[in-house]
Amino acid sequence: MIRGNSMQFGSFKNILFILLFSISSFSQNLEDQIYNAIDTFVANPNSTTLNELNQKALVFSKSIATNDEKLALVILYCNKGSFEMKANLQQKAIDSYEKAWLLFSNNHLSNYDIIEFCLKPLGTLYTKTGNFTMAENIIKKYIFMAEKDNNPPNIISGYINLSIVYKTIGNYKTAIDLLQKVAKNQNASAVQKKRIQEELAVNTMGLQNKNFDKKTTLKEVETNDTQALKNKAWMALQNNNPNAALSYFEKAKTQILKDKNIEARTLAKLYTEEASIYISLNDNQKARNSFTKAYATLLPFDKTNTHLDTNILYPENTFLVIFDGLAYLEEDNLEKLKWYDLSFYVSDLIRDQLISQEAEIRHQIEDRKRTEKCIDILWNLYQDRSELHFLEKAFTYAEKTKNTVLKDRNQQKTLLEQFPNNSDLQLQNELVSKQEFLINEYIRLQITQKNHERLISLNNELATLSIQLKNLNKKINTIFKSKTETITLFDIQKKLNEDQAQLLYYFWGKEKAYSFYSNNGEVNWKKITFNTDQENTLKKFIASFEKANTINSNVASFTTTAYSLYTLLGLEQVEPQKNLVIFPDGLLHFVAFDALVTQKTNSKTYTTIPFLVYQNKIAYQSNATFYSKNVVSHKNNTIVGFFPIFKNTNAYLEYSIEESKILEKNKATLFLNEAANRENFKKYCNQYGIIHLSTHGTSGSFSTPATLVFYDDVMLVNELYGLQDCHPDLVVLSACETGIGKLQKGEGAISIARAFQYAGAKNVLFSLWKINDFATSEIMTHFYSNYNKQHSFFESNYAAKMDYLEDQSISNAKKSPYYWSAFVYYGAIDSSETTYIYYYALGFLLLIVLFLSYGRIARFLKRKEI
């Protein structure tokens, strides 16, 4: 199938067309042939001539040699893309424009306004289809080009279009800053000035919850015709005056429909906006009619057939608005779910186009909101009918939108392990790694505000790489999509039985949470509703670990809070003395479950307080997919340790030296002081089974990513993402806040620990808060001492905490959970190797007994024969 067209070329008719076209072309100059093909198509553009143009383009692409011929083909792709864009063939239009841009840039062509006829529409299409990262890259690309050529009109257009990207993702402040900057440009045309003011008004309205000035906004709106009326409509709607909103909107709609060349997508969005006003007026039938019109408008070519067929859907954000809206209007719960499933289907199509973590995570946020609505519906159905399939479907929804980005990357690496010689999978791994390293360099330069020229160069590289990676992902998905498995709650029962474990899985919504508890084949589903007091209990528990003396200063208050949270989170149903696998979500990522209290107590002696750690051995997992796939059959017990120590500095880690000694006893390769540098880590991290990092870490902020500190430099999470062939059995992060980071809905904390999971680490042991240097050293010493005996990550983590609590040389104050419960283990419940040895020995003895028994039986039978 030719990229950019939905029609197959395997038929005899099409092969004959290509053959005859090729023969007739020998007598004509190739460049002229291409221009003649363009002229023929432009004179009569329709689906038939588009198909013919696609076939001709295939022949041309295999024959072009000179730059003039290549430029002619660029112009063909741009004309084809323009028609496809107008015909709602958006993905095919994107393919056409991408081909044009790659051909133009890779061959350093000129003498064509590539910004106007290719990059502008391509950036617009990326924005429309929700691929905001690629939109941002390509728009910045042509802004840089326009600035280099001193082309004010294109510079201004670029800033306006970039502001639209930021507006669409809710970053109104950045959008306003860009618009205000370009508003000062004296070279702006009247049309551009009008558009700037319109966008300023819309973005100002977007910030209405923060210093919203109605008078100023209304004054700006008054001067803006159609957009002014629409803005007035939204202001009236926000002020609970839907009748006035409808009046303003109808006037705007009348003006808009006068435009005979209105784009289908613009018209479809108009109908969805109309539907939202009718919903406010409680006129559901008119709202449905408007949504149906919007759907019909988005269909390519035949707009009379409005039958819902997933085969004619394509990546388009407006479909999500339509289907979510129809779900909202639907009264039957099962029908609601069908509409939401259509939204999920389109959402998956959009996600398949995304190539950066940032874009995928942003996209996932809306999926999570939709998931919560679906789980709410299924909860009500389950309460009414007690049918188990509603529970299982709710779990499937929850799992589908949990750690989507991590699971996608894990799936890529799994496929590469299964098909190591596949060149496409190899290239995909290389490009993903290269992308992360480029982003890492870009962020570092943005932080330092140095080398603007390199920033421009990096943006160019990212723009080109993004297109290459997107097209490669599309090819790989076509081949391997069927290999992606959906894990259900009952699929993992066998794994739980093997691990002698029980499962507690959380889904964290906006207003409530849900828990799924599975043990011995039984499943219990609970809804957790948070009121103000309960929210405060959770926040108070998490805040207890911010300072070392908080818990010690009021032990009674802490134990009361810890018991209240234990009850709130449904842990009273957990079976004691049995392994427990916890799947946190939302703020629960920051909860040290070990430190929850299972009974009311007045004790102030920590060793007698009934902490959950005394009742259950706990392992954490990011999602059910990871849990079901994480089977440790054989470990690589080689260890490498990095200990910068930072002697003679304010960052000195005194007890890190003691920590290194226990690794030395385990025959670890150690990099101490200056040797614990960034380059040595990158060089050796893929050569060992266990990576131990005893250093400082930061959780980052909204503007800066989480970092890991080496002797000579820091490493941002993006650089960790890009590590190739780094898939150790265990990463031990003996550093502060390595599990803390910006919390993203569905994806969890964007932390150092997650970065190692993304890179390929099978199991991770890390901390949730700034930990005491002495306590860390003690915990790590106990961990490796136990691992040397048992060779089990899971058992050694548990034993290390118990050994610490039982150490009589440590004071009661230092046995506060602040000191011992910071480390959490995300990984497999790996059985102790001593257990395997026991079974091997038992099996060997059994063979000897059978052998001896066989000898005796043989002799007995022989005697009997005699």
Side-chain angles (χ1 to χ4, degrees), residues 856-866:
R856 287 174 182 170
I857 292 169
R859 284 196 296 274
F860 173 77
L861 291 173
K862 194 171 183 180
R863 285 174 188 162
K864 200 167 184 181
E865 286 174 3
I866 294 171

Side-chain angles (χ1 to χ4, degrees), residues 164-183:
I164 293 171
V165 174
Y166 293 133
K167 174 190 72 176
T168 307
I169 63 177
N171 193 347
Y172 302 113
K173 181 66 171 63
T174 302
I176 289 171
D177 290 343
L178 288 174
L179 292 165
Q180 288 177 337
K181 177 180 178 180
V182 78

Side-chain angles (χ1 to χ4, degrees), residues 91-144:
Q91 285 306 309
K92 293 172 178 57
I94 289 172
D95 289 341
S96 296
Y97 284 126
E98 286 177 346
K99 287 179 182 178
W101 167 240
L102 291 176
L103 188 60
F104 187 89
S105 60
N106 290 342
N107 292 281
H108 308 288
L109 303 178
S110 57
N111 298 322
Y112 183 66
D113 193 348
I114 197 70
I115 293 178
E116 187 65 33
F117 298 117
C118 177
L119 297 184
K120 281 185 181 179
L122 181 57
T124 300
L125 282 165
Y126 284 148
T127 304
K128 289 178 177 180
T129 55
N131 203 335
F132 302 116
T133 299
M134 291 188 72
E136 183 181 20
N137 286 342
I138 212 72
I139 294 170
K140 284 182 177 178
K141 168 65 185 172
Y142 70 72
I143 288 174
F144 291 145

Side-chain angles (χ1 to χ4, degrees), residues 180-207:
Q180 288 177 337
K181 177 180 178 180
V182 78
K184 300 174 184 177
N185 194 315
Q186 300 299 317
N187 295 301
S189 67
V191 173
Q192 287 176 328
K193 289 178 181 177
K194 180 175 180 291
R195 187 61 187 276
I196 290 167
Q197 292 305 314
E198 289 175 352
E199 290 299 324
L200 276 170
V202 173
N203 280 283
T204 303
M205 289 178 66
L207 283 173

Side-chain angles (χ1 to χ4, degrees), residues 394-439:
F395 180 84
T396 303
Y397 275 123
E399 175 64 16
K400 179 178 171 60
T401 54
K402 201 162 195 176
N403 308 112
T404 305
V405 181
L406 265 183
K407 286 190 289 192
D408 284 351
R409 183 60 179 141
N410 181 266
Q411 175 67 9
Q412 290 173 357
K413 288 181 174 286
T414 300
L415 285 173
L416 186 56
E417 288 175 3
Q418 293 173 350
F419 306 96
N421 297 320
N422 185 289
S423 58
D424 288 331
L425 293 173
Q426 291 173 349
L427 180 58
Q428 181 189 55
N429 193 45
E430 291 171 9
L431 290 178
V432 169
S433 179
K434 183 179 179 182
Q435 181 187 43
E436 295 296 350
F437 281 127
L438 289 174
I439 292 172

Side-chain angles (χ1 to χ4, degrees), residues 64-80:
I64 54 173
T66 69
N67 279 352
D68 287 340
E69 292 165 352
K70 292 173 183 176
L71 182 60
L73 188 57
V74 166
I75 296 170
L76 182 151
Y77 286 140
C78 289
N79 277 273
K80 189 164 79 77

Side-chain angles (χ1 to χ4, degrees), residues 504-520:
L504 191 53
Y505 184 107
Y506 292 99
F507 177 88
W508 191 269
K510 183 179 180 182
E511 298 175 351
K512 64 188 79 69
Y514 291 95
S515 70
F516 299 87
Y517 173 68
S518 178
N519 187 25
N520 298 323

